[in-house]
Amino acid sequence: MSYSTVSHSLVPRELAPEGPGPLPAPDDEPRLWLVRAAAHRRAALDAAPLVLDAEERRRTAEFRHEGNRECYVVAHVALRRLLGACLGRPPGEIELTRAPCPLCGGPHGRPVVADAALHFSLSHSDGLVLLAVAGVPVGVDVERLPELRVADGIVPRLHPAEAAELSVLPPGERRAAFGRLWTRKEAYLKGLGTGLARDLSADYVGAGVHPRREPPGWRIDDVEVPDGYTAAVALAQR
């Protein structure tokens, strides 16, 4: 097991820079891994030319901010090492592609392994990376807690019940509550494969200390991450 339940949050395992040892095939529960970019930087940069595919290398070159570029490399090298451990393959030989978009059918839905029934999700923010693998569709999101002005600018676009929950909270509580809500919602949208193309008001995930309602067919859990961040995982239910 690579997670446990503590205070209604899932606790991810820390991933070593060299990656995990061989792992069993994932099942209907998420396996969560946390990566601190600073600790992985050197090993990831050394491995990137041999591990990342052409598209990942192209994306790497597009980053103008060095810290963001290095975090992207760390995240994708770690992901490939994790997938390789699950599939018993060298990380550089795993072919990644995109599932059809649920909204338009175009080739820009969830990222998937081209030839394996292994589902995964990746998120990174300000030097922290969260990875998930599962036997069913899964989405994760990790975020540095946003400034209150940023959160308040998004609130009108949310589900009316979510906006109402946030509107009655004092500023000191509203920032953390928005962070919980946002990562829950984005994890779910990533699991669906729509991302933020789906209307933010379409689904209610709640801003409370614990998720109170979940979209039909999905389970949403908060994930324990370092102070100053917030994270969540969404898992499809069979």
Side-chain angles (χ1 to χ4, degrees), residues 86-128:
C86 292
L87 296 171
R89 302 181 195 171
E93 295 182 9
I94 296 169
E95 182 183 354
L96 301 180
T97 186
R98 292 272 182 172
C101 171
L103 296 178
C104 69
H108 48 258
R110 286 187 303 110
V112 294
V113 179
D115 58 353
L118 172 67
H119 299 272
F120 66 90
S121 186
L122 174 159
S123 179
H124 56 88
S125 177
D126 199 17
L128 195 68

Side-chain angles (χ1 to χ4, degrees), residues 172-236:
E173 296 179 22
R174 193 161 69 247
R175 184 183 178 206
F178 176 85
R180 290 191 297 266
L181 182 151
W182 183 257
T183 52
R184 292 168 186 169
K185 189 175 291 278
E186 188 156 356
Y188 166 63
L189 296 178
K190 288 172 73 173
L192 279 181
T194 65
L196 297 178
R198 183 175 171 88
D199 188 343
L200 293 177
S201 68
D203 309 288
Y204 173 72
V205 298
V209 176
H210 311 301
R212 295 190 303 169
R213 285 177 58 187
E214 296 155 1
W218 289 81
R219 189 185 94 204
I220 298 176
D221 291 290
D222 295 329
V223 177
E224 189 169 301
V225 286
D227 290 343
Y229 296 85
T230 185
V233 57
L235 190 75

Side-chain angles (χ1 to χ4, degrees), residues 40-132:
H40 284 241
R41 176 183 176 276
R42 185 70 270 154
L45 293 176
D46 288 346
L50 300 175
V51 171
L52 301 185
D53 64 18
E55 174 63 15
E56 289 166 319
R57 293 195 298 273
R58 183 190 67 78
R59 292 285 306 278
T60 298
E62 291 179 346
F63 284 94
R64 295 185 178 182
H65 186 276
E66 184 178 5
N68 292 339
R69 181 170 61 251
E70 291 182 352
C71 192
Y72 176 90
V73 171
V74 165
H76 283 255
V77 169
L79 172 66
R80 284 183 165 276
R81 284 177 166 156
L82 183 57
L83 296 177
C86 292
L87 296 171
R89 302 181 195 171
E93 295 182 9
I94 296 169
E95 182 183 354
L96 301 180
T97 186
R98 292 272 182 172
C101 171
L103 296 178
C104 69
H108 48 258
R110 286 187 303 110
V112 294
V113 179
D115 58 353
L118 172 67
H119 299 272
F120 66 90
S121 186
L122 174 159
S123 179
H124 56 88
S125 177
D126 199 17
L128 195 68
V129 180
L130 183 63
L131 304 170

